[in-house]
């Protein structure tokens, strides 16, 4: 029986492997730092002259909100599963599964729009380059599709996240941005009237400082793209080198490194966000930010060409294109790791979802569709991207609030609750003003739910057991039947008193004409969480009332657990086991729904069907009797 598949990019936990945290930070930087390619332009369009003030609000929320939340996520979920895994542990049964599927829909929105938005912005840098503009203008959608196809082609051939390459790309990109920012600040210092003109225009437009701050708070949700790197930051945690004494249960060094990664990345990005919003607002004409303008989606590249010449500007364009393209690669790797980690384990994905190539083809096709819908526009996709980012950060804030409350940490609970309220407000405002994000997210959620339902229906008759573990008593019971068939009575446990077992045994013997000399062993299944699909089956043996041998099982589904036990007994003893049932009263369709949702229902025929699918050879199939 197949073990749980953790995802195609998951690595086996080995204690001392990994890279230094600052090198792994560059994997995060592929997504996080690359937003500098379009964030200043989006901020200028959203906030106008108030862009620097609104960006300061964004930085405050980053450092005092998102950073503390994700430092706690790193502590609570240090294996790269992020806040979704935290909420999965806190919420059980179907409500937990449905909530996780909803979050996966928004995560898919986040990662998918990262791919399409990054490709669209890389296209903008290509098209607006002075050396290429005349040849490429008007072909934005085609170029974006080609970039996405190349990305998919790389994954079809085989892609591994190269930390060394990420370090080079991020280091070069940040160094070029330092040059552009320093040049921009120097130009502002050389022309002091720029600051005066900007301040006068701000006062004329908004009146006083309080009004400016108020408007900045209102427009801040539109700048939420600047928060995009935190979920990626905890996703890359398994790559971080830990301490020699680290274990997978308590990876103290890895957690410390992840916190350094998150803090350093947030500080670097905060400095760049403030300085770039300041110089782009003061040095670039407002009209240049508009759709079709030379600074639209590429504000810093515009400054690089304008003040440092086309040669440097072309180098900057190339660096930006490469990091944006690899941001898409990082997002694709994230999707390929995230979906197989959850969906097959829930029984909510077809078997091909475990394989990389078919999944890549599906994701590439979806990226094509999103690019076509949004016409490869960076501005149009900003709302959808921000929605995905904000929903994930809000869920993380809620998760750490619950975790702090469960740990009895009153002050942290209050602090995280306030942060969660801020992000929920920001998410609500962003959705109200730019509903594209929630529409795209709803499409992903509906698609995941529908595919999940159909897949779970199709796979309902699988064994759904990753392993069968018998305790010592159960082993002895099974070993006693190495040279004779074992006969099992399927019993639904009630009071478990002497009368219950006497009556059940008498009825089964009478209904099936079993000779009195044949031994009978009771088997009882207790359903704990019917929403689980795959799990280890643990079998506990006991003798009740000094005469009745009972095998007790805990599972998400009665028929699947019984079938798995029967096959295990057959394989260990070489004998074909027999199991005896009573017919269940009730409507067959209603009984199937009970089985599908709650793990009960018409057990006998479903057990037989699970056995039929698991063992095609009728001669080797355990016998099912119904009286």
């Amino acid at each position: 029986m197949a073990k749980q598949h953790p995802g195609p990019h998951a690595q086996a936990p080995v204690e001392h492997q990994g890279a230094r945290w600052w090198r792994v930070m560059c994997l995060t930087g592929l997504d996080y730092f690359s937003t500098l390619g379009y964030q200043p332009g989006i901020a200028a369009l959203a906030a106008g002259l108030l862009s620097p003030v609104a960006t300061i609000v964004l930085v405050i929320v980053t450092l005092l909100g998102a950073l503390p939340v994700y430092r706690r996520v790193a502590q609570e979920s240090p294996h790269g599963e992020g806040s979704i895994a935290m909420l999965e542990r806190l919420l059980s049964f179907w409500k937990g599964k449905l909530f996780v599927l909803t979050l996966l829909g928004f995560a898919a929105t986040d990662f998918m729009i990262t791919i399409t938005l990054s490709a669209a912005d890389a296209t903008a840098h290509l098209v607006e380059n002075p050396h290429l503009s005349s040849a490429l203008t008007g072909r934005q959608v085609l170029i974006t599709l080609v970039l996405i196809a190349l990305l998919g082609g790389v994954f079809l051939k085989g892609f591994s996240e190269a930390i060394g390459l990420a370090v080079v790309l991020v280091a070069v990109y940040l160094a070029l941005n330092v040059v552009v920012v320093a040049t921009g600040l120097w130009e502002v210092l050389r022309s002091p009237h720029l600051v005066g003109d900007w301040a006068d225009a701000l006062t004329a437009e908004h009146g006083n400082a309080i009004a400016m701050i108020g408007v900045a708070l209102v427009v801040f949700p539109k700048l939420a793209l600047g928060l995009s790197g935190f979920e990626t930051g905890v996703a890359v945690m398994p790559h971080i080198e830990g301490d020699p004494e680290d274990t997978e249960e308590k990876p103290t060094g890895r957690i410390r490194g992840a916190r350094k990664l998150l803090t350093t990345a947030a500080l670097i990005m905060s400095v760049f966000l403030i300085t770039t919003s300041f110089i782009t607002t003061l040095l670039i004409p407002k009209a240049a930010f508009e759709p079709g303008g030379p600074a639209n989606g590429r504000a810093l590249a515009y400054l690089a060409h304008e003040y440092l010449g086309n040669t440097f500007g072309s180098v900057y364009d190339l660096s930006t294109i490469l990091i944006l393209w690899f941001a898409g690669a990082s997002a694709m790797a994230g999707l390929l790791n995230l979906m197989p980690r959850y969906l097959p384990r829930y029984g909510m994905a077809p078997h091909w979802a475990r394989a990389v190539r078919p999944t890549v083809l599906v994701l590439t096709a979806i990226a094509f569709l999103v690019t076509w819908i949004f016409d490869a526009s960076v501005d149009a996709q900003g709302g959808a991207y921000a929605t995905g980012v904000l929903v994930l950060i809000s869920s993380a804030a809620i998760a750490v609030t619950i975790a702090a409350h469960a740990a009895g940490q009153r002050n942290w609970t209050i602090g995280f609750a306030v942060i969660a309220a801020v992000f929920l407000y920001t998410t609500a405002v962003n959705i109200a003003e730019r509903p594209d994000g929630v529409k795209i997210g709803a499409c992903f959620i509906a698609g995941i739910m529908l595919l999940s339902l159909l897949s779970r229906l199709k796979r309902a008759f699988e064994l759904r057991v990753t392993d069968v573990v018998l305790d010592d008593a159960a082993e002895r019971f099974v070993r006693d039947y190495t040279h004779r068939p074992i006969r099992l009575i399927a019993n639904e446990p009630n009071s478990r008193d002497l009368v219950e077992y006497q009556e059940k045994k008498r009825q089964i013997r009478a209904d099936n004409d079993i000779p009195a000399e044949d031994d009978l062993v009771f088997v009882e299944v207790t359903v704990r969480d019917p929403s689980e699909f795959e799990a280890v089956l643990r079998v506990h043996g006991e003798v009740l009332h000094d005469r009745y041998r009972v095998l007790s099982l805990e599972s998400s589904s009665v028929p699947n657990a019984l079938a798995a036990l029967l096959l295990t007994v057959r394989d260990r003893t070489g004998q074909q086991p027999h199991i005896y049932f009573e017919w269940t009263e009730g409507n067959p369709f209603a009984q199937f729904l009970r089985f599908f949702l709650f793990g009960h229902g018409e057990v006998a025929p479903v057990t037989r069907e699970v056995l039929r699918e698991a063992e095609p050879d009728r001669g080797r199939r355990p016998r099912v009797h119904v009286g």
Side-chain angles (χ1 to χ4, degrees):
M1 284 167 260
K3 299 287 184 182
Q4 178 179 323
H5 192 285
H9 293 270
Q11 296 182 353
V14 181
E15 289 183 15
H16 308 310
Q17 290 187 354
R20 300 293 299 277
W21 66 266
W22 59 268
R23 290 174 63 84
V24 180
M25 183 183 70
C26 294
L27 281 178
T28 305
L30 292 174
D31 177 18
Y32 197 17
F33 299 145
S34 68
T35 57
L36 290 171
Y38 45 82
Q39 172 74 10
I42 289 177
L45 271 180
L49 295 172
L50 269 176
S51 175
V53 181
T55 300
I56 290 173
V57 174
L58 171 66
V59 167
I60 292 172
V61 173
T62 297
L63 298 179
L64 300 183
L67 181 58
V69 164
Y70 277 91
R71 283 171 62 91
R72 181 62 177 257
V73 171
Q75 176 184 329
E76 299 282 345
S77 182
H79 304 297
E81 296 171 316
S83 57
I84 295 179
M86 291 179 63
L87 289 168
E88 183 189 30
R89 291 195 299 268
L90 294 167
L91 299 171
S92 60
F93 297 98
W94 282 108
K95 62 183 179 182
K97 301 294 185 297
L98 294 175
F99 189 72
V100 167
L101 288 174
T102 301
L103 287 180
L104 286 174
F106 283 109
T109 303
D110 182 5
F111 285 121
M112 188 58 65
I113 299 297
T114 297
I115 294 170
T116 58
L117 183 79
S118 297
D121 197 49
T123 299
H125 283 78
L126 271 173
V127 172
E128 294 296 334
N129 185 280
H131 302 297
L132 302 172
S133 181
S134 59
L136 301 180
T137 298
R139 295 182 171 85
Q140 285 88 337
V141 174
L142 177 61
I143 296 169
T144 304
L145 292 176
V146 169
L147 289 175
I148 293 172
L150 289 173
L151 178 65
V154 168
F155 277 90
L156 287 176
K157 186 175 180 182
F159 178 88
S160 60
E161 292 173 327
I163 293 178
L165 183 57
V167 170
V168 173
L169 285 173
V170 169
V172 171
Y173 183 67
L174 291 182
L176 292 173
N177 274 289
V178 168
V179 174
V180 174
V181 168
T183 302
L185 292 174
W186 175 247
E187 291 296 328
V188 171
L189 289 174
R190 285 179 56 194
S191 306
H193 67 88
L194 291 173
V195 177
D197 293 344
W198 172 63
D200 292 341
L202 266 181
T203 304
E205 189 172 314
H206 299 288
N208 56 54
I210 295 177
M212 293 176 197
I213 294 173
V215 174
L217 291 172
V218 172
V219 301
F220 149 70
K222 296 180 180 179
L223 279 62
L225 293 180
L227 294 165
S228 66
F230 285 97
E231 196 71 29
T232 311
V234 292
V236 299
M237 280 188 68
H239 295 286
I240 298 175
E241 180 184 54
D243 293 336
E245 61 272 15
D246 274 8
T247 64
E248 283 302 304
E249 292 73 28
K250 193 175 181 182
T252 306
R254 179 195 295 174
I255 293 171
R256 186 172 61 253
R259 288 180 160 188
K260 290 179 181 178
L261 179 157
L262 292 166
T263 303
T264 305
L267 290 173
I268 291 173
M269 193 63 175
S270 296
V271 171
F272 274 112
L273 285 173
I274 293 173
T275 53
T276 56
S277 68
F278 180 70
I279 62 174
T280 53
T281 302
L282 268 63
L283 296 176
I284 300 178
K286 181 180 179 180
F289 290 112
E290 299 296 331
N296 182 252
R298 56 186 302 277
L300 294 179
Y302 176 92
L303 292 180
H305 283 277
E306 185 74 17
Y307 293 100
L308 293 164
N310 288 335
T311 301
F312 180 89
S314 296
V315 173
Y316 184 87
D317 283 339
L318 177 61
S319 175
T320 305
I321 291 166
L322 287 174
I323 196 170
L324 285 167
W325 191 83
F326 268 82
S330 179
M332 180 74 84
L335 278 170
L336 291 173
N337 192 43
L338 188 65
M339 295 302 180
R341 187 181 295 273
Y342 289 98
L343 297 185
R345 182 158 52 86
Y346 289 179
M348 294 179 169
H351 286 296
W352 57 257
R354 297 182 188 271
V356 172
R357 286 186 173 89
T359 308
V360 168
L361 291 173
V362 172
L363 296 176
T364 302
I366 294 172
F368 280 1
L369 179 63
V370 171
T371 298
W372 176 71
I373 291 172
F374 285 105
D375 199 30
S377 168
V378 174
D379 299 328
Q381 295 177 77
Y385 189 21
T387 299
V389 170
L390 287 171
V391 168
L392 290 179
I393 294 180
S394 298
S395 68
I398 293 170
V400 298
T401 302
I402 297 172
H405 177 70
Q409 299 168 332
R410 184 171 180 273
N411 292 338
W412 278 114
T413 302
I414 294 172
F416 285 136
V418 171
I419 294 170
V422 170
F423 282 119
L424 287 171
Y425 156 77
T426 305
T427 304
V429 170
N430 184 76
I431 290 173
E433 293 187 354
R434 297 184 291 179
D436 285 344
V438 77
K439 290 177 182 176
I440 293 291
C443 290
F444 278 114
I445 292 167
I448 288 174
M449 294 285 188
L450 179 61
L451 191 64
S452 298
L453 176 63
L454 295 175
S455 176
R456 184 137 181 163
L457 279 169
K458 187 175 184 298
R459 300 181 62 196
F461 300 117
E462 291 181 9
L463 279 178
R464 296 164 52 174
V465 171
T466 58
D467 196 11
V468 179
V469 179
L470 282 69
D471 69 6
D472 292 340
E475 286 276 11
R476 285 197 303 273
F477 291 174
V478 171
R479 199 165 47 241
D480 286 345
Y481 292 89
T482 303
H483 302 293
R484 56 195 173 110
I486 182 172
R487 301 185 184 276
L488 301 170
I489 297 177
N491 182 52
E492 184 175 352
N494 293 307
S495 60
R496 305 189 86 196
D497 59 12
L498 179 62
V499 174
E500 176 182 337
Y501 293 103
Q502 286 176 333
E503 285 298 313
K504 187 74 173 182
K505 189 172 183 179
R506 181 195 61 76
Q507 182 179 348
I508 291 295
R509 284 192 184 279
D511 289 345
N512 296 276
D513 197 22
I514 300 174
E517 63 271 14
D518 284 8
D519 267 349
L520 293 170
V521 178
F522 289 89
V523 57
E524 300 174 344
V525 182
T526 302
V527 175
R528 295 299 182 193
D529 183 357
S531 65
E532 286 290 342
F533 189 79
E534 292 180 337
V536 173
L537 181 65
R538 302 188 183 279
V539 185
H540 171 61
E542 56 186 326
V543 178
L544 297 182
H545 311 296
D546 297 324
R547 68 180 76 175
Y548 297 115
R549 286 181 289 183
V550 180
L551 295 174
S552 301
L553 294 68
E554 288 189 3
S555 177
S556 60
S557 167
V558 175
N560 307 74
L562 291 174
L565 175 65
L566 290 168
L567 291 171
T568 300
V569 170
R570 180 203 65 183
D571 294 340
R572 294 197 181 195
T573 64
Q575 301 286 333
Q576 280 186 305
H578 296 250
I579 188 165
Y580 297 87
F581 295 93
E582 292 181 56
W583 285 114
T584 304
E585 299 292 334
N587 181 281
F589 181 72
Q591 294 296 341
F592 176 75
L593 286 180
R594 283 189 66 212
F595 159 67
F596 182 72
L597 295 174
F598 306 114
H600 295 280
E602 186 58 88
V603 176
V606 177
T607 302
R608 192 262 178 190
E609 181 61 20
V610 174
L611 286 169
R612 190 184 69 82
E613 286 207 2
E615 178 50 79
D617 185 351
R618 187 171 182 177
R620 300 190 68 244
R621 196 181 299 155
R623 301 294 191 242
V624 175
H625 307 267
V626 188

